[in-house]
Amino acid sequence: MKSSSTKKLALAGVLCAAAVVGSMFSFPVFGSKCAPVQHMVNVLCAVFLGPWYGLGAAFAASLLRNLLGLGSLLAFPGSMCGALLCGLAWRTSRNLRLTLAAEVFGTGVLGGLLSYPVAVAFMGADAGTVAFYAYVAPFLISTAAGSILAGALVFALQRSGALGTMQGALEH
């Protein structure tokens, strides 16, 4: 049991680092920094580690991105909602398409909507000029790109049989 937890924690750290480094490849969309690598990492965490490690990795990556000046406070609701939802979807269904859809919905819709109060409360956004759904479109663009990348990678791992081997290695 201890060995499995150590392996999972190490992989979560590696995926968190990938998300932070990958955030250097971000692009602005309507006042938000879109970092598709974070969403790819969310899906990989869901498939390999589960919802709670994914949520932790998303939080740690968001914190590091903010401390390093690579992200904004909007990284927290955006990445964490998607990570949790896609992790729960994978845990309950083991269906890649459903997991990808959960990442897109969790980040794009839920994370986008939760970003509004964060922007108003902590970032000085004017509630009268920013619509509550203003962050949904940029988050959807970012998460769709990252989910496509993750879907291609996980699908290739499934087809080759490597996915099951890798998941099994994390359990022992």
Side-chain angles (χ1 to χ4, degrees):
M1 179 65 181
K2 198 175 217 178
S3 175
S4 173
S5 297
T6 304
K7 288 178 189 178
K8 287 182 176 184
L9 187 58
L11 181 57
V14 169
L15 290 172
C16 175
V20 172
V21 171
S23 70
M24 290 191 289
F25 306 105
S26 65
F27 52 92
V29 177
F30 305 123
S32 172
K33 277 187 174 179
C34 296
V37 174
Q38 175 66 60
H39 310 294
M40 180 183 76
V41 166
N42 284 352
V43 173
L44 294 176
C45 282
V47 169
F48 289 112
L49 302 171
W52 307 116
Y53 280 97
L55 182 63
F59 175 80
S62 296
L63 182 61
L64 289 170
R65 286 173 60 200
N66 275 273
L67 291 174
L68 295 171
L70 299 172
S72 72
L73 291 177
L74 304 181
F76 288 99
S79 65
M80 292 173 66
C81 289
L84 180 61
L85 205 59
C86 76
L88 292 171
W90 179 263
R91 174 182 273 177
T92 58
S93 72
R94 297 284 194 247
N95 182 306
L96 180 58
R97 287 188 177 135
L98 180 63
T99 302
L100 297 173
E103 166 61 26
V104 171
F105 180 76
T107 295
V109 178
L110 297 180
L113 293 174
L114 287 173
S115 290
Y116 174 77
V118 171
V120 169
F122 300 110
M123 297 174 67
D126 184 12
T129 60
V130 177
F132 73 92
Y133 54 84
Y135 298 106
V136 172
F139 282 25
L140 279 172
I141 292 168
S142 182
T143 190
S147 294
I148 289 168
L149 291 171
L153 178 59
V154 173
F155 180 72
L157 290 172
Q158 280 179 328
R159 272 192 77 143
S160 70
L163 182 64
T165 302
M166 294 168 77
Q167 288 172 322
L170 287 169
E171 298 302 322
H172 297 96

